[in-house]
Amino acid sequence: MTFLRTHRPRHRALVAAGAVAALALVLSACSGAGTASGGGDGGDTTLSFIPKNLNNPYITLELSGAKSAAEELGFTYAEAAPLDAGADSQIPFIQTEVQNGTKIIAVSPNDPDAVCPALEDARTGGAKIITFDSDSAAECRDLFINQVAVEDVAKGQLEQLYDQIGGTGDIAILSATAAAPNQNAWIEAMKAEIASNPDYEWNLVATVYGDDDDTKSFQEAQGLLQSYPNLKGIISPTTVGIAATARYLSTSEYKGKVALVGLGLPGQMKEYLTDGTVKEFALWDPSEVGYLTAYAGKALVDGTITGAEGDTFEAGKLGTYTVGANGLVLVGELLKFNAENIDQYDYITF
């Protein structure tokens, strides 16, 4: 295993900040300004997060955790991102952080390769680079904070689908963007598991992309059912995609006939559990991803760790973490939600 956690606190319910309202190409510096060690120089340390895009409830949760940690650490917190999830859309934001001399840059790449030249420039300028949620090429960053082991995410969704439809029939995947590193890793792991597990004899008829856009995801879900009327199940490993697909199914003739599983936010998906559109879905606490990323940034800038395998660092209320191979740090475990346990979690409906 590449993940070791020496302290696991009591599970916390998912919580969310208010929705982020931001324009493209605008950098937002938020409260929490203060001074931190900054690698021992005593100067102000800015922690800048560049997620895939803004106005996305999942990302809002991630950033709420990052901002909370920055306030605990006395860092100046900032966030900047495009409104779209295009492959090249994050590059201007990274370049701006390089020009500003930002010490810690956390990026969730829309494309694993497109951002690399800009990240390498930032590292040359002395910035510590962390990828979170999705990764770049390993040589372009110091650490990768991943939510859950890729294989566990893939297997968890397949198990939930199997429990509902068995191991035969036509299925489809509705993903985010075609270049999203995390989505593609989960999809490849799902395909590998389907190929190797004798219980799974599904026919994967299509993989479509909603680009993490609600309207497009809704349309893609509609298109799948029109193109494949014998479809038995849809896997949507994206919170935008699963919510849009559930919304379509909930008022269609396919409600209760086509199973939907994937990665969803409890606050968005509870109504679809209640009305019978969805039986199960999965996720983790996104706020923990942002929170852990901020503490990893502190450890890097302080020199406590370098990103080498075996390095350990403290992450506030999350406990102690150990860096695995290739700079990987896993936040925790996959959480599975259904009608029996959904009320154990707090809700914010976006």
Side-chain angles (χ1 to χ4, degrees), residues 2 7 40 65 75 107 111 134 144 201 223 225 282 322:
T2 56
H7 169 65
F75 285 173
V107 183
D111 184 288
S134 65
F144 172 36
E201 298 180 358
L225 273 302
T322 298

Side-chain angles (χ1 to χ4, degrees), residues 202-225:
W202 295 310
N203 178 29
L204 179 59
V205 297
T207 300
V208 298
Y209 303 93
D211 292 343
D212 261 353
D213 176 82
D214 178 77
T215 300
K216 185 176 181 184
S217 296
F218 184 93
Q219 293 169 344
E220 292 291 347
Q222 185 179 35
L224 281 174
L225 273 302

Side-chain angles (χ1 to χ4, degrees), residues 265-327:
L265 292 167
Q268 288 183 310
M269 297 298 293
K270 184 182 180 181
E271 64 177 292
Y272 303 116
L273 281 175
T274 302
D275 71 10
T277 301
V278 175
K279 291 184 178 180
E280 292 183 299
F281 64 97
L283 199 65
W284 42 85
D285 184 341
S287 69
E288 290 187 351
V289 179
Y291 186 93
L292 181 58
T293 299
Y295 270 89
K298 172 178 171 52
L300 283 169
V301 81
D302 284 350
T304 305
I305 63 173
T306 63
E309 184 174 3
D311 283 351
T312 61
F313 65 97
E314 295 297 320
K317 58 190 174 184
L318 295 184
T320 303
Y321 282 79
T322 298
V323 179
N326 298 315

Side-chain angles (χ1 to χ4, degrees), residues 131-134 144-150 182 186 289 292 328-332:
T131 54
F132 67 99
D133 194 65
S134 65
F144 172 36
I145 308 299
N146 200 11
Q147 313 93 330
V148 178
V150 169
N182 53 346
W186 296 329
V289 179
L292 181 58
L328 173 65
V329 182
L330 296 179
V331 179

Side-chain angles (χ1 to χ4, degrees), residues 79-224:
E79 62 192 37
L83 293 179
D84 68 275
D88 299 325
S89 58
Q90 295 166 307
I91 293 174
F93 297 97
I94 298 170
Q95 293 171 335
T96 295
E97 298 308 311
V98 174
Q99 294 168 1
N100 290 342
T102 302
K103 294 182 178 180
I104 308 169
I105 303 174
V107 183
S108 181
N110 286 319
D111 184 288
D113 300 315
V115 296
C116 268
L119 294 180
E120 288 172 343
D121 287 345
R123 294 182 82 189
T124 299
K128 303 300 181 181
I129 305 298
I130 306 172
T131 54
F132 67 99
D133 194 65
S134 65
D135 201 10
S136 68
E139 64 269 18
C140 303
R141 45 74 173 166
D142 298 294
L143 286 177
F144 172 36
I145 308 299
N146 200 11
Q147 313 93 330
V148 178
V150 169
E151 294 77 14
D152 291 346
V153 175
K155 289 179 180 180
Q157 293 172 91
L158 296 180
E159 289 167 359
Q160 290 188 318
L161 185 63
Y162 181 83
D163 288 344
Q164 296 179 56
I165 69 170
T168 61
D170 291 348
I171 65 171
I173 296 172
L174 195 160
S175 184
T177 64
N182 53 346
Q183 296 283 316
N184 289 337
W186 296 329
I187 291 170
E188 288 305 310
M190 282 190 274
K191 290 179 178 178
E193 180 66 13
I194 291 171
S196 64
N197 191 325
D199 290 334
Y200 300 154
E201 298 180 358
W202 295 310
N203 178 29
L204 179 59
V205 297
T207 300
V208 298
Y209 303 93
D211 292 343
D212 261 353
D213 176 82
D214 178 77
T215 300
K216 185 176 181 184
S217 296
F218 184 93
Q219 293 169 344
E220 292 291 347
Q222 185 179 35
L224 281 174

